[in-house]
Amino acid sequence: MPSTKLLFEEDGITLSSYPSGVLILILNRGPNLFNPSFVASLSSAIAIVEEASHPKSLVITGGENNKFFSNGLDTEWMLQHPKETSTMIETGWKLLARILVMDCRTVAAINGHAFGAGLFLALACDFRIMRTKRGWLNFPELNLGMRLAKGFAELSKAKLSAPTLREGVLTGKRYTSAEALQAGMIDEEVPLEELRERAMELAENGFAENSIARS
């Protein structure tokens, strides 16, 4: 692949740009759990993407040797900070909303497990490609004894069919890449060694032909 230019780096989260205009956001903070620090770093990186000029597209993925795309909410942090949890989750919703309406194509290259908020991060993207052989997609709320929060529920309803949403939320099923493809949760499944290349290709195909200059 061509060389990249580093645009942002903070505690395992990096944003780089390719000469083509594709930006790649790599999440490599272990299980990539959603807590205030993770959300703040992710938000800072997304702000750079929002301000970038066209042509541009965004790929979001986990680290090359990381078995997680994102393992969802940081439940340990939530137990230790119960009064701050609602604010953190609301901040997470707002971040996903920014990705959802990004002014360029967004592609989630799901390199491993995507549970809860990690799954919602993938759903906020326009396209989802998942590696084969390893990793699950999962709504963990049933097993955690939690409700599906409103913002996450609305996103899921917009991106998934009613039967898939019912099965995922009410049974807590863990979907392999093949099952996720059949259920319409992802658009493609590819071997890990092809994941980033295919995501980059899909991202490049989404460049806007005519961009309106920012005022």
Side-chain angles (χ1 to χ4, degrees), residues 108-119:
I110 306 170
N111 58 292
H113 304 309
F115 280 40
L119 172 57

Side-chain angles (χ1 to χ4, degrees), residues 6 13 17 44 60 76 105-106 114 117 126 144 152 181 209:
L6 183 64
I13 295 178
S17 64
S44 295
I60 303 176
E76 183 175 338
R105 176 173 291 189
T106 54
D126 299 320
L144 293 175
F152 297 147
L181 182 62
E209 293 184 6

Side-chain angles (χ1 to χ4, degrees), residues 72-159:
L73 296 174
D74 188 342
T75 54
E76 183 175 338
W77 180 91
M78 292 166 62
L79 288 172
Q80 294 173 356
H81 304 84
K83 294 182 179 179
E84 301 169 52
T85 292
S86 294
T87 299
M88 188 272 289
I89 292 177
E90 183 177 349
T91 303
W93 293 346
K94 292 178 179 178
L95 174 63
L96 298 187
R98 289 163 60 194
I99 296 172
L100 187 65
V101 300
M102 187 79 71
D103 66 336
C104 65
R105 176 173 291 189
T106 54
V107 180
I110 306 170
N111 58 292
H113 304 309
F115 280 40
L119 172 57
F120 304 136
L121 174 60
L123 290 176
C125 294
D126 299 320
F127 294 92
R128 288 161 293 284
I129 305 174
M130 186 175 177
R131 67 171 292 184
T132 55
K133 297 183 179 180
R134 186 176 186 179
W136 291 304
L137 304 187
N138 176 255
F139 291 91
E141 286 76 13
L142 177 69
N143 294 323
L144 293 175
M146 297 172 59
R147 293 171 51 193
L148 184 60
K150 181 175 175 58
F152 297 147
E154 293 300 321
L155 173 61
S156 301
K157 286 192 290 185
K159 292 298 186 91

Side-chain angles (χ1 to χ4, degrees), residues 180-213:
L181 182 62
Q182 185 176 17
M185 302 174 80
I186 62 173
D187 300 288
E188 298 180 28
E189 57 169 344
V190 298
L192 177 61
E193 58 270 21
E194 300 175 16
L195 181 65
R196 286 196 185 180
E197 182 178 355
R198 177 59 188 136
M200 292 282 293
E201 179 183 7
L202 187 57
E204 289 180 2
N205 289 340
F207 287 150
E209 293 184 6
N210 296 293
S211 301
I212 300 174

Side-chain angles (χ1 to χ4, degrees), residues 26-28 61-67 111 131 192 196:
I26 299 176
L27 314 177
N28 201 22
T61 192
E64 286 188 355
N65 298 313
N66 195 338
K67 67 178 182 179
N111 58 292
R131 67 171 292 184
L192 177 61
R196 286 196 185 180

Side-chain angles (χ1 to χ4, degrees), residues 23-46:
L23 298 105
I24 183 166
L25 179 57
I26 299 176
L27 314 177
N28 201 22
R29 193 181 288 184
N32 294 320
L33 297 174
F34 275 64
N35 54 41
S37 175
F38 180 82
V39 172
S41 295
L42 200 54
S43 179
S44 295
I46 291 300

